[in-house]
Amino acid sequence: MADRTEAPPPFTKAQKWAIGVAGVFFAGLAGLGGYGSFAAVDAVAKDYGFGSHSWIVPIGVDLGILAL
């Protein structure tokens, strides 16, 4: 049999905390980016005559990206 390398050691408590804190900050950054993108596309859609239905445009764009 081929030599197997050992598994890396488990994360330390400090590493787990760092990963958790980084995850919270990344999620917040993603949320702010998503909100900013949604608001910008919504504002442009209002200018193009979508009126009160302009919120559908950014959702449709994001769903189209996910579908592709």
Side-chain angles (χ1 to χ4, degrees):
M1 262 194 209
D3 292 332
R4 298 179 105 187
T5 59
E6 291 185 30
F11 290 123
T12 64
K13 190 173 185 178
Q15 288 172 325
K16 289 178 183 178
W17 270 98
I19 291 168
V21 169
V24 168
F25 281 114
F26 290 142
L29 183 61
L32 288 173
Y35 175 76
S37 173
F38 182 92
V41 174
D42 182 44
V44 171
K46 283 181 184 173
D47 292 342
Y48 278 91
F50 284 91
S52 63
H53 298 293
S54 62
W55 62 271
I56 295 172
V57 176
I59 291 175
V61 168
D62 289 341
L63 288 177
I65 291 169
L66 286 174
L68 293 175

